[in-house]
Amino acid sequence: MTVLGIIGGTGIDQLEGLEIVDNHAVETPYGDPSRVLQEGRLGSTRLFFLQRHGSPRAIPPHLINYRANLWALRSLGVSDVVAINAVGGISAAMRPGRLVIPDQLIDYTWGREHTVDTGEHDTLMHIDFTEPYDRALRQRLLAIASEQAIAHEPAAVHGVKQGPRLETAAEIRRMANDGCDLVGMTGMPEASLARELGLAYASVCMVVNAAAGLDDAPLTLDAMRATLQREAAVVSQLLGALAAT
Ligand code: HPA
């Protein structure tokens, strides 16, 4: 049976229409998750929701306990995780306001606890990461977005940077040369840890700004938040329809 877990990013503190039925403070071998995990009902579907930046204080991307978050979701019986990420747009189609379901990623992060392979087990965790997002879960998201007439980009390369600072214009030019369409800070090691833990994982990205140097407008958090707010409603619609299937 599929049990859905949603990891909310910046701007997604709550899922519209989610009726909370329980809160779970989960202890994990890796320490505490970002916050208590909320168990709720969206329509008739039971699911779990976790805000990766915590609450009320925001945990920056490089300090998020990704291992604890995913371990906690799995321990509650979650099988499929949809992660929501706010990102900058690099390639022309990835304009602010766009919803994107990426199919590939490039990991530029460093110094994060990125594996549950502690070296103490008999087998090494050389997971196959050729396709970093779960194919079936991505297809479900794409089908639902089309059914619901939600405008979206059906594929993209998500470049994941360390943050918390934004990038230089030259860094974005290099990422474009590398083939990145999007730039974010929280997509890794979340995606690979999910694979290590046997969870199906896919991402829904909300483009909230043009990446550094691609637009004359200054990069301000206020402008990003305004775009986020508009996109959050569409993401909720997508997740609501996903939960109903
Ligand atoms: N860069 C990195 N992460 C981001 C951005 C960006 O421009 N916008 C939202 N998250």
Side-chain angles (χ1 to χ4, degrees):
M1 198 187 72
T2 299
V3 179
L4 191 58
I6 311 279
I7 301 182
T10 306
I12 307 279
D13 294 331
Q14 272 303 332
L15 274 190
E16 224 173 86
L18 184 70
E19 180 202 339
I20 311 291
V21 296
D22 210 347
N23 286 301
H24 302 269
V26 182
E27 284 178 22
T28 89
Y30 310 105
D32 292 335
S34 296
R35 59 161 301 169
V36 291
L37 286 87
Q38 295 175 316
E39 177 178 352
R41 283 188 187 286
L42 197 55
S44 57
T45 305
R46 176 175 156 265
L47 58 77
F48 293 88
F49 179 77
L50 173 62
Q51 164 49 256
R52 71 161 75 75
H53 292 288
S55 172
R57 206 160 53 94
I59 307 167
H62 61 296
L63 296 180
I64 290 168
N65 193 340
Y66 296 95
R67 295 195 300 183
N69 286 352
L70 288 159
W71 198 96
L73 284 165
R74 193 182 66 164
S75 77
L76 292 172
V78 165
S79 60
D80 291 50
V81 176
V82 176
I84 315 299
N85 303 92
V87 296
I90 298 178
S91 48
M94 308 293 161
R95 289 181 304 279
R98 215 59 188 144
L99 205 86
V100 189
I101 300 173
D103 63 328
Q104 276 295 330
L105 62 79
I106 299 180
D107 185 11
Y108 298 90
T109 66
W110 48 271
R112 301 182 181 188
E113 294 287 2
H114 68 287
T115 177
V116 294
D117 188 349
T118 54
E120 292 154 2
H121 305 288
D122 291 338
T123 49
L124 296 174
M125 281 206 168
H126 294 308
I127 52 161
D128 181 349
F129 207 45
T130 314
E131 286 184 44
Y133 302 108
D134 183 77
R135 191 184 287 186
L137 186 53
R138 272 194 83 246
Q139 292 307 328
R140 271 179 75 197
L141 284 166
L142 291 171
I144 290 162
S146 296
E147 275 162 31
Q148 296 277 317
I150 295 174
H152 64 282
E153 293 295 327
V157 179
H158 180 184
V160 189
K161 295 282 283 178
Q162 178 72 353
R165 69 166 175 82
L166 295 165
E167 297 71 35
T168 67
E171 284 169 339
I172 293 299
R173 282 197 296 273
R174 185 174 82 170
M175 290 181 78
N177 283 335
D178 284 354
C180 294
D181 300 301
L182 304 170
V183 53
M185 299 179 192
T186 52
M188 281 294 285
E190 209 173 75
S192 55
L193 284 164
R195 182 70 50 84
E196 285 190 348
L197 291 170
L199 295 164
Y201 178 98
S203 157
V204 176
C205 291
M206 304 183 291
V207 182
V208 296
N209 60 285
L214 299 180
D215 194 342
D216 291 338
L219 289 175
T220 67
L221 276 181
D222 282 349
M224 290 183 196
R225 282 203 192 100
T227 312
L228 257 177
Q229 251 169 22
R230 286 195 298 275
E231 284 181 278
V234 181
V235 170
S236 291
Q237 183 192 344
L238 179 68
L239 296 176
L242 176 71
T245 60

